[in-house]
């Protein structure tokens, strides 16, 4: 059975196998790098005429791009990853953080000097399957993909038995990091500093934000400072 929503994971995996950047892949296809970024975020798909081009470029059957596993072993591996509800990554200390967030979640950034950085991701099985953590130069890129594949809207999905919050915690390893976030969907983005001095970002629906920050001005946990609450980029 074809599963087009798997395309964002497939194209990301194929690109990383060849150690190409998004710009390098875009150049090979003849498109803008922003298009590849949106594909990998799960907020759109290529024109149908590009699928044979992409399959030929990566030397894979075209069905692979639509989520057809080439072997049972690969499928088992995918399912095992799908059910993992926590994953950790260790890097050198991180100064620059780039987030592309297209699913409901919270990001907690803890700036403190240490020998290395630690990124911990936890959440429901779908959230775990549709996230990507990769380091390019001195930048850490975290992509949380939209499971529905819609280019504009976030839609509820089956979270299985998981009832906790989708959470990414980053111990940067430096005294001060620089963060940049993008959100292509209709989720509300909020950033604040907690009482213990850490930065948090929350991506949620408008209804959830109203409950979290009544009037979009205050939060239940009463943060010391609310930096910004913004609507998604377009």
């Amino acid at each position: 059975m074809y599963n087009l929503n798997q395309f964002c994971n497939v194209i990301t995996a194929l690109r990383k196998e060849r150690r190409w950047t998004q710009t390098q892949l875009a150049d090979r296809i003849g498109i803008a790098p922003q298009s590849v970024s949106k594909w990998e975020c799960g907020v759109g798909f290529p024109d149908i005429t590009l699928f044979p081009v992409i399959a030929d470029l990566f030397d894979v059957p075209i069905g692979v791009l639509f989520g057809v596993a080439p072997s049972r072993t690969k499928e088992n591996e995918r399912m095992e990853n799908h059910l993992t509800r926590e994953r950790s990554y260790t890097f050198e200390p991180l100064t620059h953080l780039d987030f592309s967030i297209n699913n409901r979640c919270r990001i907690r950034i803890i700036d403190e000097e240490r020998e290395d950085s630690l990124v911990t991701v936890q959440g429901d099985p779908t959230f775990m399957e549709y996230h990507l953590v990769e380091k390019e130069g001195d930048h850490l890129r975290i992509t949380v993909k939209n499971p529905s594949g819609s280019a504009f809207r976030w839609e509820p999905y089956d979270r299985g038995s998981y009832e906790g919050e989708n959470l990414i915690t980053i111990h940067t390893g430096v005294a001060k990091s620089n963060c940049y976030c993008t959100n292509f969907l209709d989720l509300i983005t909020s950033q604040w500093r907690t009482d213990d001095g850490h930065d948090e970002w929350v991506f949620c629906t408008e209804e959830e934000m109203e409950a979290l920050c009544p009037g979009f001005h205050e939060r239940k946990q009463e943060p010391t400072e609310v930096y910004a609450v913004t609507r998604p980029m377009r």
Side-chain angles (χ1 to χ4, degrees):
M1 178 183 295
Y2 287 170
N3 184 355
L4 186 56
N5 287 351
Q6 283 292 331
F7 178 75
C8 60
N9 287 340
V10 172
I11 193 70
T12 301
L14 291 173
R15 175 180 64 81
K16 292 186 69 178
E17 283 178 5
R18 285 154 182 79
R19 299 182 180 179
W20 294 344
T21 65
Q22 291 181 344
T23 299
Q24 289 172 327
L25 174 57
D27 288 344
R28 285 170 167 80
I29 300 175
I31 58 175
Q34 292 84 349
S35 296
V36 175
S37 177
K38 286 191 174 185
W39 298 347
E40 294 192 1
C41 289
V43 292
F45 306 105
D47 183 274
I48 191 66
T49 59
L50 285 180
F51 280 102
V53 176
I54 297 170
D56 184 63
L57 177 64
F58 287 113
D59 193 25
V60 296
I62 195 169
V64 169
L65 302 180
F66 292 89
V68 178
S71 70
R72 183 60 184 171
T73 299
K74 289 290 185 180
E75 176 69 8
N76 290 343
E77 179 180 341
R78 188 188 70 80
M79 290 304 298
E80 289 173 1
N81 290 336
H82 180 78
L83 296 174
T84 301
R85 297 185 178 182
E86 181 171 325
R87 206 170 302 164
S88 295
Y89 309 84
T90 303
F91 303 98
E92 297 176 353
L94 303 167
T95 302
H96 301 285
L97 308 172
D98 296 328
F99 305 127
S100 182
I101 309 299
N102 301 282
N103 196 353
R104 293 164 50 203
C105 72
R106 181 188 300 269
I107 299 177
R108 182 171 298 141
I109 303 171
I110 302 174
D111 284 335
E112 57 185 9
E113 294 185 352
R114 46 185 283 171
E115 291 185 359
D116 53 21
S117 63
L118 176 64
V119 180
T120 302
V121 182
Q122 60 190 81
D124 62 66
T126 299
F127 179 81
M128 296 303 297
E129 182 180 10
Y130 281 81
H131 86 274
L132 172 68
V133 177
E134 59 182 342
K135 191 171 183 294
E136 294 184 2
D138 60 353
H139 285 248
L140 180 75
R141 176 182 298 164
I142 296 180
T143 303
V144 176
K145 308 171 187 182
N146 178 22
S148 75
S150 170
F152 305 104
R153 296 182 56 192
W154 178 87
E155 299 178 4
Y157 59 90
D158 183 7
R159 304 189 73 213
S161 61
Y162 190 84
E163 298 180 354
E165 189 174 36
N166 294 331
L167 176 65
I168 301 175
T169 303
I170 305 171
H171 294 264
T172 63
V174 298
K176 179 61 179 176
S177 62
N178 298 308
C179 304
Y180 178 75
C181 288
T182 58
N183 161 28
F184 295 105
L185 304 182
D186 57 346
L187 295 171
I188 301 298
T189 304
S190 176
Q191 180 192 7
W192 52 65
R193 176 158 291 180
T194 62
D195 289 329
D196 53 5
H198 302 314
D199 287 342
E200 286 194 349
W201 297 75
V202 170
F203 301 80
C204 60
T205 64
E206 186 166 342
E207 293 77 12
E208 290 169 324
M209 183 56 68
E210 192 65 51
L212 192 62
C213 298
F216 291 172
H217 294 299
E218 61 183 358
R219 177 173 171 242
K220 289 181 179 180
Q221 286 81 353
E222 298 181 357
T224 58
E225 183 177 3
V226 174
Y227 291 152
V229 177
T230 61
R231 295 189 177 274
M233 297 177 59
R234 280 289 179 261

